[in-house]
C-alpha cells in the first residue's frame, strides 16, 4: 500500500515522457493513490500541479473528486487547517461540496480530537443543503469518543433523525464505552454481535473485547 503512490507516479511520469497530456482523471488517480498511501505532501503537490485551465474545464464531479482526494489526504494527518483551506478554496471557486468533503473535515477533527470544531463542521452541512448521512454521524461520534454521554446523545439524535446506525457506528460507540471504563454498558452492547457486522471478526473489536474483560 505504501508503494501505491510511487507506482502511480512512475506511470504518470512515463505517460508524460511519451508525449501524452495528463487529463483530470489521471491527476485525480495519482492524487488518490498518494492519499491512500498516507502521503499528503505528494497529494497536495500534484493537486497544485493540475493546470488551472484543466481544473476549470473539468466536470463538476471531477472537480469534486480532485478536492475530495487531496482533502482526505490532509485529514488523515489530522491537518484540519489545510483541509479547511482546501474546502474554502473549493467552495469559493463555485464547486459545491458533497458528503465526502464533510467526511474529510470531520475526519481531520477526529484525528485531532477536536470535538467542538467537529460539531461546527457538522452543523455547517445544512448551509449547503446536505442532510448528514450515517458516515457523517459516525465520524461525529468518533470525534467525541472521550465523552461517553455525548456519544450516547449523538447516537440518539442519529436515530431520531431516521438514520440507521451502521456496524461501524456500533463499533465506535463500543470504543467510547471502553474509554469510559463502562464495563456493563460495553458488555450490553456486545450482547448482540450481529450489529457489529463485518467488524465482529476484525482486530479492532478483538482488542476492545480484551479490554472489556479487564473492566469491572
Amino acid at each position: 500500500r505504501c508503494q501505491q503512490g510511487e507506482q502511480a507516479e512512475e506511470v504518470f511520469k512515463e505517460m508524460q515522457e511519451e508525449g501524452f497530456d495528463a487529463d483530470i482523471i489521471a491527476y485525480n488517480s495519482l492524487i488518490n493513490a498518494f492519499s491512500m498511501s498516507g502521503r499528503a505532501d505528494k497529494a497536495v503537490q500534484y493537486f497544485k500541479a493540475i493546470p488551472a485551465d484543466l481544473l476549470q474545464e473539468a466536470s463538476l464531479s471531477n472537480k469534486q473528486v480532485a478536492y475530495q482526494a487531496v482533502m482526505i489526504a490532509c485529514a488523515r494527518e489530522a491537518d484540519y487547517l489545510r483541509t479547511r483551506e482546501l474546502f474554502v478554496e473549493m467552495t469559493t471557486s463555485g464547486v459545491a461540496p458533497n458528503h465526502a468533503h464533510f467526511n474529510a473535515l470531520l475526519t481531520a477533527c477526529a484525528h485531532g480530537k477536536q470535538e467542538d470544531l467537529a460539531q461546527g463542521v457538522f452543523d455547517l452541512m445544512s448551509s449547503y443543503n446536505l442532510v448528514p448521512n450515517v458516515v457523517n454521524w459516525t465520524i461525529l461520534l468518533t470525534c467525541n469518543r472521550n465523552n461517553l454521554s455525548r456519544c450516547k446523545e449523538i447516537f440518539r439524535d442519529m436515530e431520531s433523525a431516521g438514520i440507521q446506525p451502521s456496524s461501524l457506528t456500533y463499533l465506535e460507540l463500543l470504543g467510547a464505552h471502553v474509554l469510559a471504563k463502562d464495563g456493563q454498558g460495553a458488555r450490553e452492547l456486545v450482547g448482540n454481535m450481529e450489529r457489529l457486522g463485518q467488524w465482529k471478526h476484525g482486530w479492532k473489536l478483538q482488542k476492545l473485547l480484551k479490554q472489556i474483560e479487564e473492566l469491572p
Side-chain angles (χ1 to χ4, degrees):
R1 182 176 177 180
C2 293
Q3 297 179 344
Q4 183 177 349
E6 283 72 16
Q7 292 172 346
E9 183 178 37
E10 184 177 342
V11 172
F12 185 85
K13 288 181 176 179
E14 287 178 356
M15 181 178 69
Q16 289 184 314
E17 289 171 359
E18 293 177 6
F20 293 98
D21 291 328
D23 59 13
I24 189 63
I25 294 177
Y27 274 102
N28 284 350
S29 298
L30 181 58
I31 295 166
N32 186 62
F34 276 119
S35 176
M36 295 296 291
S37 301
R39 292 293 307 277
D41 57 333
K42 281 285 193 176
V44 172
Q45 174 188 328
Y46 278 103
F47 175 78
K48 291 185 177 297
I50 301 175
D53 57 340
L54 184 63
L55 186 59
Q56 184 176 356
E57 295 171 4
S59 67
L60 174 60
S61 61
N62 278 324
K63 289 177 182 176
Q64 290 174 323
V65 168
Y67 278 100
Q68 174 187 332
V70 70
M71 285 176 64
I72 289 176
C74 295
R76 286 173 174 159
E77 293 194 354
D79 190 345
Y80 177 80
L81 181 59
R82 178 169 280 184
T83 307
R84 173 70 179 179
E85 287 175 348
L86 288 162
F87 179 85
V88 172
E89 176 186 319
M90 177 183 70
T91 54
T92 301
S93 66
V95 178
N98 57 31
H99 288 88
H101 300 113
F102 278 94
N103 287 345
L105 289 169
L106 289 166
T107 296
C109 295
H111 286 307
K113 299 179 180 180
Q114 303 178 82
E115 59 272 13
D116 292 338
L117 194 56
Q119 188 63 55
V121 169
F122 188 84
D123 293 340
L124 184 64
M125 294 185 70
S126 61
S127 298
Y128 294 93
N129 298 316
L130 292 173
V131 177
N133 60 24
V134 63
V135 179
N136 303 138
W137 279 101
T138 300
I139 302 175
L140 178 64
L141 189 150
T142 303
C143 291
N144 289 270
R145 59 189 175 276
N146 291 307
N147 185 340
L148 179 58
S149 62
R150 176 62 183 139
C151 285
K152 289 180 177 180
E153 183 180 10
I154 291 171
F155 190 87
R156 289 193 297 269
D157 289 345
M158 179 180 179
E159 291 189 310
S160 296
I163 303 297
Q164 180 68 35
S166 68
S167 55
L168 181 57
T169 310
Y170 283 108
L171 184 66
E172 294 300 312
L173 181 58
L174 179 63
H177 279 281
V178 171
L179 286 172
K181 300 188 183 306
D182 178 19
Q184 180 179 348
R187 282 185 279 274
E188 288 176 359
L189 200 57
V190 172
N192 185 353
M193 291 289 285
E194 293 305 314
R195 291 185 298 191
L196 294 167
Q198 61 179 319
W199 303 98
K200 62 184 178 182
H201 301 300
W203 67 269
K204 185 172 182 178
L205 177 59
Q206 299 310 310
K207 180 180 178 180
L208 288 173
L209 291 176
K210 289 182 179 179
Q211 292 174 312
I212 292 171
E213 291 176 359
E214 301 173 0
L215 294 176

